[in-house]
Amino acid sequence: MGESPLIIICVRYFIEPSMTIGMANEVILLDYWPSPFAARVRIALAEKGIEYECKEEDLANKSPLLMKMNPIHHKVPVLIHNGRPICESEIIIQYIDDVWKVESPLLPSDSYLKAKARFWTSFINTKVHESGRKVWMSKGVDQETGKEELIEWCKLLEVELGDKPYFGGENFGFVDIALVPFYNWFNFFKNFADFNMEAECPKLVKWGNRCMERESVSKSLPNSDQMYAAFLEFKKMLNM
Amino acid sequence: MGESPLIIICVRYFIEPSMTIGMANEVILLDYWPSPFAARVRIALAEKGIEYECKEEDLANKSPLLMKMNPIHHKVPVLIHNGRPICESEIIIQYIDDVWKVESPLLPSDSYLKAKARFWTSFINTKVHESGRKVWMSKGVDQETGKEELIEWCKLLEVELGDKPYFGGENFGFVDIALVPFYNWFNFFKNFADFNMEAECPKLVKWGNRCMERESVSKSLPNSDQMYAAFLEFKKMLNM
């Protein structure tokens, strides 16, 4: 699978001091490179230009640090800020946006738009994630159901996007960060199932390509070949 | 089951103008009285002293307004503020806290404590809710598993509570609102399963009783007999 995206990410943040702010802050990310949830946090940190140390987890043999920092769920991502852990990607992103307010706001300031952004993120966490799993984890009828659902959810997201460049309007933000790691799945789903998102949701694909043009996104997401290889490994691990 | 708690709640808000603020705002709640998620919103509105119109839903025959206002999930609660819908209880409560900032803040202002409050609310939404459902919806081994899990989650919540009167510290807030409608379940769970939360989690029970002393809570939650009767109806509806 070549050079681990983790290495690339870590190197980038350690050698590009011009991107960093808040030097007094110690920021550690307990990461796992194929995880779409961890990818969200990498993107948010990159958008804010926050320097951080990346600790890659082996999910088959979780580190004592992960067990200590997320004692309830033992899951990545965990952001450790000055020794204190924050768990769950959407909570971490809100925390990042709250603490590093000045650089690139991720959530809208308007209360109603903020609620809408949270709603769509929750929709992605449940509907898009679950149907996506059906596509790569199952076969036959279940896989077909997953595909149909996923296309339905994407069409709903396309309606929500409308003619805006990003979900929040002119600026890349919370919902874009939540969705783009899953959008990245679609590129290798054709290896598991007959899947043509471009034909089904052309506007959403344009949005995805627009996001991928951002360095914060392209450098935080693994490419399709890496993801496909990783997912084949998961299937093997899960004896599927 | 006697007078519907909905009627009691609606009457209370319409005849107590001294409790209300923000008269220029039109606030409607699409409600369902046994729902713990809807109860959270009733409590938050009461804490803020917000006048609102309560529209009780018949979940077997959902209103066109609910279908229009929550076209994705068709679920209660929905808060309609000046014609615009906000869905999902924890999103609604954050919205309420954001718009009606002055009265009784519900979320902490500190970024880390805010992230922690969101984490525990997410824990309640998933773990406590799921295990609670197992207790009242299943039998035998599954029910026993649900009970054991629920007690485990409550012990974790007890540790998080520590010696504080409320989850956020001195003041009743977000996590208390998220949990207390589920705490209210424990009182009638003894009708479904051998269940003694007082022996297992005495501190949490004390916390629950402390919350119930608040008018915002006691008037927003149905009593145990009403809940038990409602849950028997659900079981019948679900052919269990």
Side-chain angles (χ1 to χ4, degrees), chain A residues 131 134-135 138-147:
Chain A
S131 303
K134 278 187 205 161
V135 174
S138 58
K139 285 181 182 169
V141 179
D142 286 348
Q143 192 181 56
E144 204 50 40
T145 309
K147 217 173 70 179

Side-chain angles (χ1 to χ4, degrees), chain A residues 42-54:
Chain A
R42 296 195 297 267
I43 296 170
L45 289 164
E47 280 289 325
K48 295 280 185 179
I50 299 165
E51 183 184 22
Y52 66 100
E53 182 185 353
C54 196

Side-chain angles (χ1 to χ4, degrees), chain A residues 53-124:
Chain A
E53 182 185 353
C54 196
K55 290 187 192 273
E56 184 77 359
E57 283 291 328
D58 171 5
L59 297 194
N61 183 24
K62 295 177 181 178
S63 74
L65 186 62
L66 176 59
M67 305 303 269
K68 184 182 164 197
M69 289 294 166
N70 190 353
I72 309 288
H73 304 297
H74 306 157
K75 283 185 182 171
V76 294
V78 179
L79 192 82
I80 309 172
H81 184 205
N82 295 331
R84 299 193 298 185
I86 304 106
C87 304
E88 297 187 28
S89 65
E90 72 276 18
I91 298 176
I92 297 172
I93 298 172
Q94 291 180 80
Y95 175 81
I96 289 172
D97 203 37
D98 216 18
V99 172
W100 289 270
K101 275 188 205 302
V102 182
E103 295 284 319
S104 319
L106 302 176
L107 275 144
S109 55
D110 174 83
S111 305
Y112 185 71
L113 296 179
K114 208 182 288 175
K116 269 185 85 178
R118 288 186 177 127
F119 174 84
W120 286 108
T121 299
S122 161
F123 175 84
I124 295 159

Side-chain angles (χ1 to χ4, degrees), chain B residues 15-82:
Chain B
I15 64 167
E16 292 187 14
S18 66
M19 278 186 70
T20 65
I21 59 162
M23 294 296 286
N25 292 304
E26 186 202 55
V27 180
I28 297 168
L29 173 63
L30 304 189
D31 198 4
Y32 180 57
W33 71 265
S35 161
F37 299 104
R40 290 172 169 181
V41 180
R42 295 195 297 267
I43 296 169
L45 289 165
E47 280 290 324
K48 294 282 185 178
I50 298 165
E51 181 185 22
Y52 66 101
E53 183 185 353
C54 196
K55 289 185 191 273
E56 184 77 359
E57 283 291 328
D58 171 6
L59 296 194
N61 183 23
K62 295 177 181 178
S63 74
L65 186 64
L66 176 59
M67 304 304 269
K68 184 183 164 196
M69 289 295 166
N70 190 354
I72 309 289
H73 304 297
H74 306 157
K75 282 183 181 172
V76 294
V78 180
L79 192 81
I80 310 172
H81 184 205
N82 295 331

